[in-house]
Amino acid sequence: MRLLDRYMIRNFLQVYLYCIVGFISIWLIFDISDNISTFLDEQIGLRVAVRYYATQVPQVIIILLPVSLLLALLFSLGRMSRANEIVSMLTAGVSLPRAISPLIGIGVLTVGASMALNYSLAPHADLARKRVIDEARLRSEGAIIGQIFRNRSDARTWFIHTFRPGHNLFTNIQVLQQDADNNITTNYLASRASYQPETKTWTLQNAKVVRYDRTGNIVDEQIYPELKIDNWSETPFRLGSANVRAESLSVSELREYLYFNADFPTTLLAPFRTHLQYRLALPWTCLVVVCIAAPLGIGYSRRGILSSVAAAVVLIFSQNFLTHLFLALGEGDRVSPWLAAWTPNVLFAAIGLYLLYLRASNREALGFHLFTARRIVAR
């Protein structure tokens, strides 16, 4: 790493870290002011409160990383431009892409960090927040009562009285096993059922197993204090999948949901397919921000810096608007999931690369100036 690279990284990281810490602090202050009454009413201790906010930080970081990148790039490159340091680099024979390559490298590292957080921790933030509050209250408000799950591939239907999402314990269940002609062959009744993920085994307590012939007559009936079944493919996540939302699932859970529910209608699977692609596309927004903010943050004259900063802010917020628009279209099955997730990134990355090309060749982008428009109208 050259001395110039270290200088660019040092100037950028100082502002970048200040932005991240500042945004997290602002969010923390506002969130504590909103939830302090709940913490006091429910007598939530300091340890639970710390665990509560630890589950929320990954989701907040995912949101603030692109904004922090934008502000840090505009500030650091704008300050170096005003001090004529960028011009000095170019005069010394360093090309513009080479000069900002350390910042592009930091953008790639930010993509990796964002992708790691967005894989599982950030999608689970809302569920983790509810779970922490429920555990602190020592109540079962998060329990689901009356759940039906149909396993079409194995011809099994589950009727569950009560369970809590994220737990492996179910109470008062009934499982109907059918044959290829949809005739009920076996009926499982149990007061409690638990799942061991290590062995992929279901344990039924106080179980009653009733077997039928093809005409529906009972041919066998047995009672077991404890019955272990290791050939069922259902998992607690699959049984509760009817109550989950696509935006709260991790990448692996989205893939599992799509795999086991592939026979669902396309309109029902569209949100999950779209969010699977969105989970993969969202981290690359950070690199798109670098491509846009880097050329616009550099100015060869003092006059053009303010307009470039304004253009960068408008482009980034336009990308954010377009991202949510295409995400809504994908969830509604209006466009394909890949198109909904990746179109904003591809479009604005092309704009950023074009701006970088213009800046590296010392050319300005096409603009519309108000005073020029006035002269045209006057003529």
Side-chain angles (χ1 to χ4, degrees):
M1 185 179 295
R2 300 192 307 181
L3 180 63
L4 179 61
D5 297 333
R6 292 196 295 269
Y7 179 74
M8 295 284 292
I9 292 174
R10 184 172 64 251
N11 284 344
F12 171 76
L13 283 182
Q14 183 179 11
V15 183
Y16 189 34
L17 295 178
Y18 279 150
C19 290
I20 293 176
V21 174
F23 281 129
I24 291 179
S25 301
I26 294 173
W27 162 78
L28 192 61
I29 291 172
F30 278 96
D31 197 83
I32 290 177
S33 64
D34 289 339
N35 295 323
I36 187 65
S37 59
T38 303
F39 291 164
L40 294 177
D41 293 340
E42 302 297 335
Q43 298 181 354
I44 295 178
L46 179 61
R47 180 180 301 178
V48 177
V50 171
R51 185 157 62 96
Y52 169 84
Y53 282 106
T55 60
Q56 306 308 300
V57 169
Q59 186 182 46
V60 175
I61 291 179
I62 290 293
I63 298 173
L64 64 86
L65 276 180
V67 181
S68 300
L69 266 175
L70 173 65
L71 296 180
L73 284 168
L74 294 177
F75 182 84
S76 59
L77 291 176
R79 183 175 58 183
M80 296 176 67
S81 297
R82 288 192 300 270
N84 292 324
E85 293 177 346
I86 301 295
V87 176
S88 301
M89 295 177 190
L90 300 178
T91 305
V94 180
S95 64
L96 185 61
R98 177 62 185 87
I100 65 174
S101 59
L103 305 182
I104 297 176
I106 294 178
V108 174
L109 294 177
T110 304
V111 169
S114 179
M115 190 171 296
L117 294 174
N118 200 42
Y119 188 87
S120 177
L121 293 177
H124 289 166
D126 291 335
L127 180 61
R129 180 177 65 247
K130 297 177 182 178
R131 188 175 300 169
V132 169
I133 297 298
D134 287 343
E135 290 178 357
R137 293 174 177 176
L138 297 177
R139 295 188 303 185
S140 60
E141 293 179 353
I144 295 177
I145 299 177
Q147 175 79 352
I148 299 177
F149 175 79
R150 172 64 175 167
N151 185 349
R152 295 171 177 79
S153 58
D154 296 333
R156 267 192 303 274
T157 304
W158 290 64
F159 300 90
I160 305 170
H161 181 266
T162 307
F163 78 99
R164 294 187 62 187
H167 292 70
N168 296 334
L169 183 62
F170 301 78
T171 58
N172 297 328
I173 72 164
Q174 179 183 12
V175 182
L176 299 179
Q177 180 67 61
Q178 297 172 289
D179 58 14
D181 298 325
N182 292 326
N183 297 315
I184 298 177
T185 59
T186 310
N187 184 10
Y188 298 87
L189 299 167
S191 60
R192 293 164 64 93
S194 59
Y195 181 75
Q196 290 75 36
E198 297 81 9
T199 58
K200 298 181 179 180
T201 302
W202 283 95
T203 301
L204 307 182
Q205 297 178 356
N206 300 323
K208 180 179 179 181
V209 181
V210 182
R211 292 180 172 83
Y212 305 88
D213 58 14
R214 296 182 61 86
T215 59
N217 298 317
I218 298 177
V219 297
D220 186 30
E221 183 175 345
Q222 296 183 8
I223 297 177
Y224 302 89
E226 183 176 278
L227 176 63
K228 293 185 179 295
I229 302 176
D230 57 2
N231 59 351
W232 284 355
S233 61
E234 292 85 352
T235 63
F237 171 76
R238 288 188 63 190
L239 296 180
S241 60
N243 304 95
V244 298
R245 297 177 60 88
E247 56 267 23
S248 64
L249 298 181
S250 65
V251 174
S252 59
E253 291 171 345
L254 285 169
R255 288 172 176 167
E256 182 179 355
Y257 183 94
L258 293 173
Y259 175 77
F260 287 112
N261 300 303
D263 55 342
F264 279 13
T266 305
T267 54
L268 295 180
L269 295 179
F272 297 90
R273 288 172 176 164
T274 301
H275 275 273
L276 176 59
Q277 293 296 326
Y278 180 64
R279 290 271 176 267
L280 304 177
L282 180 61
W284 293 97
T285 304
C286 299
L287 192 59
V288 175
V289 170
V290 175
C291 294
I292 293 176
L296 291 177
I298 296 174
Y300 299 138
S301 63
R302 296 177 182 269
R303 182 181 58 185
I305 295 236
L306 185 59
S307 61
S308 297
V309 170
V313 173
V314 170
L315 284 174
I316 296 303
F317 279 95
S318 299
Q319 181 193 10
N320 186 59
F321 170 78
L322 203 63
T323 297
H324 286 85
L325 174 62
F326 272 84
L327 189 62
L329 293 175
E331 290 177 344
D333 198 25
R334 303 295 182 181
V335 297
S336 67
W338 191 96
L339 194 66
W342 291 96
T343 296
N345 281 352
V346 173
L347 176 61
F348 283 89
I351 295 175
L353 292 176
Y354 174 70
L355 294 175
L356 182 60
Y357 164 74
L358 293 178
R359 186 63 71 190
S361 58
N362 196 19
R363 288 188 286 180
E364 296 290 340
L366 297 177
F368 183 82
H369 300 286
L370 181 60
F371 294 107
T372 304
R374 285 181 178 178
R375 288 196 296 267
I376 294 175
V377 172
R379 290 177 183 177

